[in-house]
Amino acid sequence: METAEKKKIVLSAIQPTGTPTLGNYLGALKNWKDMSEGEYNCLYAVADLHSLTVRPEPADLRRRTLEMYAILLALGIDPEKNIVFIQSHVPQHAQLAWLLNCCTQFGEAARMTQFKDKSEKHPENVNVGLFTYPILMAADILLYQTDFVPIGADQKQHLELARDIAERFNTVYGNTFKIPEPFIGKVGASVMSLQDPVHKMSKSDPNPRAFISMLDDDNVIVKKIKSAVTDSEAVVKYAEGKDGINNLMGIYSCCTGKNFEEIEQEFEGKGYGDFKSAVAEAVVEELRPFKDEFNRLMNDKAYLTECAKAGAEKASHFAARTLSKAMKKTGLFQL
């Protein structure tokens, strides 16, 4: 137990706003299982409170939240060895967010580029939650005295804000929060759009052929890869200007463990048709165990609910200590 307590704490969270793509899987989620079995104490959250900023349909949100929880377990993350929970089941997240709101300058929050981008894209729904989203994210992180946070480039600014808030709170009220660092782990693949390979694969792409969902049917995966944009050279070789082929080679490399040189040798003298078929087969086989386990879990909702309840209890126990400390420091009267 003493060794476990010395382990560094890593927090990972994902919103239930749609099924993650092959890009999410190869770029990050595939590594979450390895991380959960290694030298860290890991917490994994379904960040359902964050998803309210886009005002989802209530029934959809409930369904997607349970599905995302099942996705985390289907990745192979053991809920007995890790804390796997749903954010809204731990009320301390929202409570600490208010304390941190009062310790964040308006100008700091206004500078967040994601708020600016989303406000421009959705001018009909520029809500206050969208503005304070990064402060709730800071609460998610700071509640668990987190050492490391795995983040993509789009969340780097938010982690920097969380660090600034923690440092300010500690300066004003005394040492309360650990200052989190970005997690630099195993580098995953940067998977690009199948139809426009200069842009990253995204589940919000209006062209459904541009991305592969982790839960896509096998036949759908094959069709999408066979329709992927390539070039007229018909040579499987990694090179500048061959964005489509480079992307497919990256995907094939992640799924098979072969490096680019080995892939070039394997397909020497063969055309893109053979190569795309091999990539499609590799992706189907890569996702098969995950999809089988996901389907099994979704047929046992009682088990998922039981795991979510146990995860929330463990997370709440952890979070309550930090929140109580922060409330005392700010002078709130405690019973």
Side-chain angles (χ1 to χ4, degrees):
M1 188 66 191
E2 194 177 328
T3 311
E5 286 175 0
K6 288 180 181 175
K7 283 183 174 183
K8 297 290 185 184
I9 295 168
V10 178
L11 174 81
S12 303
I14 187 165
Q15 285 193 55
T17 50
T19 306
T21 67
L22 179 68
N24 300 132
Y25 173 74
L26 295 179
L29 299 179
K30 188 178 179 182
N31 297 332
W32 284 14
K33 177 180 183 288
D34 297 336
M35 196 167 62
S36 75
E37 295 174 340
E39 60 198 278
Y40 305 102
N41 277 335
C42 294
L43 296 102
Y44 298 94
V46 178
D48 56 340
L49 291 175
H50 284 289
S51 64
L52 293 175
T53 60
V54 295
R55 208 175 293 152
E57 283 291 327
D60 283 348
L61 178 59
R62 273 190 289 274
R63 175 181 56 80
R64 286 178 172 175
T65 298
L66 190 66
E67 285 179 354
M68 189 58 73
Y69 192 83
I71 283 170
L72 291 177
L73 300 192
L75 288 169
I77 295 168
D78 187 342
E80 296 286 328
K81 296 176 182 174
N82 303 276
I83 300 178
V84 190
F85 67 101
I86 295 167
Q87 182 191 27
S88 64
H89 294 172
V90 183
Q92 291 91 345
H93 285 255
Q95 289 174 279
L96 181 60
W98 177 251
L99 271 64
L100 301 185
N101 275 334
C102 299
C103 205
T104 306
Q105 299 303 301
F106 183 87
E108 287 177 308
R111 279 197 298 273
M112 297 294 107
T113 53
Q114 205 170 81
F115 171 71
K116 293 176 187 173
D117 293 344
K118 290 192 175 178
S119 299
E120 286 172 13
K121 285 179 185 171
H122 304 284
E124 77 291 346
N125 186 23
V126 185
N127 57 71
V128 175
L130 191 63
F131 187 73
T132 59
Y133 174 109
I135 297 136
L136 177 57
M137 182 176 163
D140 299 338
I141 297 164
L142 301 179
L143 256 184
Y144 301 100
Q145 303 296 344
T146 304
D147 292 286
F148 298 113
V149 186
I151 51 164
D154 60 332
Q155 295 291 347
K156 189 174 177 222
Q157 195 184 31
H158 289 171
L159 182 59
E160 287 169 359
L161 179 64
R163 288 169 54 85
D164 290 343
I165 294 169
E167 285 169 354
R168 181 178 298 119
F169 195 101
N170 289 351
T171 300
V172 174
Y173 296 111
N175 190 37
T176 309
F177 301 115
K178 193 174 284 184
I179 310 301
E181 300 281 348
F183 181 82
I184 311 298
K186 185 179 172 186
V187 179
S190 184
V191 179
M192 312 307 280
S193 162
L194 296 177
Q195 294 299 313
D196 185 11
V198 295
H199 294 107
K200 282 187 78 171
M201 184 178 282
S202 169
K203 64 189 173 193
S204 60
D205 197 305
N207 183 351
R209 293 189 305 158
F211 64 91
I212 290 170
S213 159
M214 286 175 66
L215 295 173
D216 271 346
D217 182 77
D218 292 354
N219 292 330
V220 172
I221 292 172
V222 171
K223 281 180 185 174
K224 286 182 178 180
I225 289 176
K226 287 193 172 178
S227 71
V229 168
T230 51
D231 55 63
S232 57
E233 198 178 329
V235 177
V236 180
K237 185 175 180 63
Y238 193 92
E240 192 176 335
K242 291 172 68 71
D243 299 317
I245 285 298
N246 294 348
N247 187 37
L248 292 176
M249 287 179 72
I251 292 170
Y252 191 63
S253 174
C254 276
C255 294
T256 63
K258 296 176 181 178
N259 62 37
F260 288 159
E261 191 180 336
E262 289 169 330
I263 295 169
E264 287 172 5
Q265 287 173 358
E266 183 182 351
F267 293 96
E268 191 174 355
K270 294 179 182 176
Y272 287 166
D274 290 334
F275 178 52
K276 284 182 174 181
S277 294
V279 175
E281 186 181 335
V283 171
V284 166
E285 290 308 312
E286 174 70 31
L287 292 177
R288 191 186 303 284
F290 159 77
K291 289 200 293 184
D292 288 347
E293 180 63 4
F294 173 82
N295 291 329
R296 187 189 72 77
L297 288 166
M298 287 304 293
N299 285 320
D300 192 353
K301 290 189 173 60
Y303 173 74
L304 287 174
T305 304
E306 182 187 314
C307 286
K309 186 179 178 186
E313 286 171 358
K314 286 190 275 189
S316 291
H317 179 72
F318 200 149
R321 294 202 303 261
T322 300
L323 179 65
S324 177
K325 187 178 180 182
M327 290 174 78
K328 283 177 188 171
K329 295 268 189 179
T330 53
L332 293 170
F333 180 73
Q334 303 284 288
L335 294 173

